[in-house]
């Protein structure tokens, strides 16, 4: 509870039994995903004092590194160390199902981000950042590559209006990209 920002109070501890890589809320704040070395778990946190595990996403290959919910909360994207990203239908979070697997990166995925309209997904790997059309989540389509860093990519994010993407790298640079047309991104910085 952070309603009193100078005196936050712990509500509960979730013991997932593994080292955690990431935690993310859906847009409603009622579902939480925990990303550990062995699994992505979905939790109902509607009752903040008594969270309930809903499901564990199956991962036949590759440890999940990152996760993000789409803005409408119906889809989740996960980035894996086997160079793939996966899209999941989490409409019924007790029975998540894989919609698609996105392939083509040559190194582990380190970041995934949805644009605010939920139609474009960015996947960042040590090598490059790719933009995908995920308007049909069962048939994602690679749109373009954001290339230009001289070191491994560390993160990708979209601006709130969805017109700009930012990428960061071990090369000490943050690059801004005009992605108003994600088919033809333009470097801006």
């Amino acid at each position: 509870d952070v309603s009193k920002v100078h005196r936050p109070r712990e509500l509960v501890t979730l013991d997932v039994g593994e080292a955690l890589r990431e935690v993310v809320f859906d847009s409603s704040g009622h579902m939480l995903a925990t990303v550990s070395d062995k699994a992505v778990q979905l939790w109902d946190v509607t009752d903040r004092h008594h969270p309930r595990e809903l499901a564990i996403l199956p991962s036949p290959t590759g440890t999940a590194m990152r996760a993000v919910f789409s803005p409408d909360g119906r889809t989740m994207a996960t980035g894996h160390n086997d160079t793939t990203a996966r899209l999941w239908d989490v409409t019924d979070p007790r029975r998540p199902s894989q919609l698609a697997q996105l392939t083509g990166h040559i190194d582990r995925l380190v970041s995934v981000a949805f644009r605010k309209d939920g139609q474009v997904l960015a996947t960042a790997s040590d090598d490059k950042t790719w933009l995908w059309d995920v308007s049909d989540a069962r048939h994602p389509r690679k749109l373009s590559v954001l290339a230009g860093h001289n070191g491994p990519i560390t993160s990708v994010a979209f601006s709130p209006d969805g017109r700009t993407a930012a990428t960061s790298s071990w090369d000490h640079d943050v690059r801004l990209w005009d992605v108003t047309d994600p088919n033809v991104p333009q470097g801006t910085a």
Side-chain angles (χ1 to χ4, degrees):
D1 181 0
V2 292
S3 58
K4 296 178 182 168
V5 294
H6 297 293
R7 292 191 342 221
R9 186 171 53 96
E10 181 179 319
L11 299 172
V12 69
T13 299
L14 299 175
D15 182 6
V16 299
E18 296 292 327
L20 286 167
R21 297 182 182 281
E22 186 165 48
V23 293
V24 294
F25 281 102
D26 73 343
S27 60
S28 74
H30 296 288
M31 190 166 30
L32 178 74
T34 58
V35 181
S36 73
D37 285 343
K38 296 214 173 160
V40 176
Q41 293 169 271
L42 300 179
W43 301 84
D44 179 347
V45 293
T46 305
D47 179 344
R48 299 177 309 154
H49 297 282
H50 301 96
R52 294 180 302 118
E53 182 180 349
L54 297 170
I56 297 175
L57 300 182
S59 185
T61 62
T63 299
M65 305 292 287
R66 298 288 176 244
V68 65
F69 288 98
S70 62
D72 67 6
R74 300 172 58 85
T75 306
M76 172 181 264
T78 53
H80 298 259
N81 69 353
D82 67 357
T83 74
T84 66
R86 296 185 180 108
L87 295 175
W88 301 90
D89 180 346
V90 292
T91 305
D92 179 353
R94 290 174 299 281
R95 292 175 193 81
S97 61
Q98 186 174 314
L99 297 168
Q101 184 167 308
L102 292 68
T103 61
H105 281 284
I106 61 171
D107 213 331
R108 68 191 174 104
L109 270 74
V110 295
S111 187
V112 288
F114 276 102
R115 194 169 69 176
K116 85 170 190 175
D117 63 5
Q119 306 295 299
V120 176
L121 177 73
T123 58
S125 137
D126 283 348
D127 62 333
K128 292 181 176 76
T129 301
W130 290 6
L131 299 180
W132 301 83
D133 176 348
V134 293
S135 56
D136 178 353
R138 291 190 184 281
H139 302 98
R141 186 173 53 88
K142 185 170 118 175
L143 297 172
S144 57
V145 175
L146 306 179
H149 283 288
N150 295 315
I153 310 301
T154 56
S155 185
V156 62
F158 285 103
S159 63
D161 66 7
R163 295 176 38 197
T164 305
T167 56
S168 63
S169 167
W170 285 3
D171 66 8
H172 303 199
D173 288 339
V174 173
R175 293 183 182 257
L176 300 179
W177 307 87
D178 180 345
V179 292
T180 305
D181 179 354
N183 290 293
V184 188
Q186 303 293 315
T188 63

